Amino acid sequence: MTGQSPPDTTPGANSPWRDRRLTPAERADALVPLMTLEEKIAQLVGVWAGADPSGTASPRARPT
């Protein structure tokens, strides 16, 4: 064993938009072309996963 951490296999882990050495503009330039239209629209209006269009957490997304 070399004492090194195993490689991060999280999807997108080695993607440029996660590279903190890049400027925010460079990171955005790398990410935006890969986003779907729906993801871009969600960013404009603040619709997040688990929220309805009003921004309220949907019953499915609330912890039980």
Side-chain angles (χ1 to χ4, degrees), residues 2 6 12 15 23 33-34 44-45 49 51 54 61 63-64:
T2 62
S15 301
T23 66
L34 302 176
L44 291 174
V45 298
S54 73
T64 54

Side-chain angles (χ1 to χ4, degrees), residues 34-59:
L34 302 176
M35 295 171 67
T36 65
L37 179 58
E38 290 80 12
E39 289 169 332
K40 291 173 186 174
I41 292 169
Q43 290 294 316
L44 291 174
V45 298
V47 177
W48 305 102
D52 66 20
S54 73
T56 304
S58 67

Side-chain angles (χ1 to χ4, degrees), residues 4-41:
Q4 295 178 347
S5 299
D8 189 346
T9 57
T10 305
N14 296 317
S15 301
W17 63 86
R18 291 184 181 248
D19 187 345
R20 294 182 181 177
R21 296 171 295 179
L22 299 177
T23 66
E26 290 170 321
R27 294 172 72 179
D29 287 344
L31 178 60
V32 171
L34 302 176
M35 295 171 67
T36 65
L37 179 58
E38 290 80 12
E39 289 169 332
K40 291 173 186 174
I41 292 169

